[in-house]
């Protein structure tokens, strides 16, 4: 996961519809998230599509193109961060619907990352997090734990995160185990000594 917040390109003042398919538009603006230039009009159109029709936008994208997935994730982060209150509410609803109708969606990681910047209201957020917890991809489940830790705002929620992190130590996913150890160490919580961790995680985290 990239450190820090992704930079958002500058959108054109007037948002006009583009004739480009969304996948092609995402490829065109991709360099703008990596220090290059993004065409302002195309970027503005992508932001409009993600803000006003997120579920439909996701449905038209290929699921196996890394460049498109990368650009979509960055664009979604920027769209949600810059959305009005009403637009954000519609986007959260679309995110929840996507995860409900396609639990294994490859766009789940992008959704989790965007929600770190602007979480949904608590009840909705918990529903979304439960679906991310059950995602078949290890990286998404790791992102869900990271997200839970990032938005924990009180002692009760932090205690819940610690409990989930200790449970995650028994996962077969090394990445999730590593993140669980990181979360517990930062909280000052001792890991469960009965967890069967691989040797490199025991050494790296001084697990005894």
């Amino acid at each position: 996961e990239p450190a820090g917040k992704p930079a958002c390109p500058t959108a054109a003042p007037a948002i006009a519809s583009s004739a480009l398919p969304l996948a092609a538009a995402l490829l065109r603006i991709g360099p703008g998230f990596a220090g290059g230039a993004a065409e302002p009009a195309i970027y503005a159109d992508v932001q409009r599509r993600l803000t006003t029709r997120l579920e439909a936008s996701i449905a038209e994208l290929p699921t196996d193109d890394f460049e498109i997935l990368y650009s979509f994730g960055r664009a979604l982060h920027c769209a949600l961060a810059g959305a009005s209150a009403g637009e954000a509410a519609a986007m959260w609803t679309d995110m929840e619907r996507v995860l409900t109708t396609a639990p294994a969606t490859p766009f789940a990681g992008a959704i989790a990352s965007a929600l770190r910047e602007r979480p949904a209201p608590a009840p909705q957020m918990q529903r979304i997090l439960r679906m991310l917890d059950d995602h078949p991809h290890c990286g998404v489940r790791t992102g869900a734990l990271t997200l839970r830790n990032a938005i924990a705002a009180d002692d009760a929620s932090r205690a819940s995160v610690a409990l989930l992190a200790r449970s995650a130590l028994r996962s077969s996913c090394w990445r999730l185990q590593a993140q669980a150890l990181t979360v517990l160490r930062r909280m000052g919580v001792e890991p469960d000594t009965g967890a069967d961790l691989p040797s490199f995680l025991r050494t790296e985290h001084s697990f005894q």
Side-chain angles (χ1 to χ4, degrees), residues 63-159:
T63 60
D64 58 355
D65 187 304
F66 173 79
E67 288 186 67
I68 290 172
L69 285 169
Y70 172 83
S71 185
F72 170 81
R74 293 303 182 97
L76 179 62
H77 175 279
C78 294
L80 182 58
S84 68
E87 290 168 341
M91 293 178 75
W92 291 324
T93 297
D94 276 5
M95 290 177 181
E96 183 177 3
R97 195 153 42 222
V98 166
L99 293 169
T100 301
T101 58
T105 175
F107 299 98
I111 289 172
S113 181
L115 288 169
R116 286 182 66 181
E117 175 74 14
R118 193 171 183 181
Q124 185 177 32
M125 195 68 199
Q126 291 306 310
R127 294 194 301 270
I128 291 172
L129 281 166
R130 283 193 290 271
M131 289 186 281
L132 294 173
D133 287 337
D134 292 335
H135 197 278
H137 291 173
C138 169
V140 174
R141 299 196 302 276
T142 304
L145 179 60
T146 304
L147 176 56
R148 284 182 181 278
N149 187 48
I151 65 174
D154 53 41
D155 289 343
S157 58
R158 283 188 284 271

Side-chain angles (χ1 to χ4, degrees), residues 2-207:
K5 298 179 182 179
C8 298
T10 302
I15 301 178
S17 296
S18 166
L20 286 174
L22 181 58
L26 286 167
L27 289 175
R28 289 274 289 272
I29 66 171
F33 300 114
E39 297 174 59
I42 295 177
Y43 174 69
D45 185 49
V46 168
Q47 295 296 285
R48 178 189 60 78
R49 294 192 219 187
L50 299 187
T51 302
T52 61
R53 50 190 301 273
L54 178 58
E55 184 181 14
S57 295
I58 289 175
E60 70 180 83
L61 292 175
T63 60
D64 58 355
D65 187 304
F66 173 79
E67 288 186 67
I68 290 172
L69 285 169
Y70 172 83
S71 185
F72 170 81
R74 293 303 182 97
L76 179 62
H77 175 279
C78 294
L80 182 58
S84 68
E87 290 168 341
M91 293 178 75
W92 291 324
T93 297
D94 276 5
M95 290 177 181
E96 183 177 3
R97 195 153 42 222
V98 166
L99 293 169
T100 301
T101 58
T105 175
F107 299 98
I111 289 172
S113 181
L115 288 169
R116 286 182 66 181
E117 175 74 14
R118 193 171 183 181
Q124 185 177 32
M125 195 68 199
Q126 291 306 310
R127 294 194 301 270
I128 291 172
L129 281 166
R130 283 193 290 271
M131 289 186 281
L132 294 173
D133 287 337
D134 292 335
H135 197 278
H137 291 173
C138 169
V140 174
R141 299 196 302 276
T142 304
L145 179 60
T146 304
L147 176 56
R148 284 182 181 278
N149 187 48
I151 65 174
D154 53 41
D155 289 343
S157 58
R158 283 188 284 271
S160 176
V161 170
L163 186 63
L164 287 168
R166 296 189 75 175
S167 176
L169 293 178
R170 289 177 163 77
S171 169
S172 60
C173 166
W174 293 348
R175 185 174 175 186
L176 180 55
Q177 289 178 317
Q179 182 60 21
L181 282 172
T182 297
V183 167
L184 291 171
R185 294 298 189 199
R186 289 176 179 172
M187 287 183 168
V189 176
E190 282 298 315
D192 185 349
T193 55
D196 184 20
L197 294 177
S199 59
F200 65 86
L201 284 181
R202 289 177 179 272
T203 301
E204 180 183 351
H205 292 267
S206 301
F207 186 87

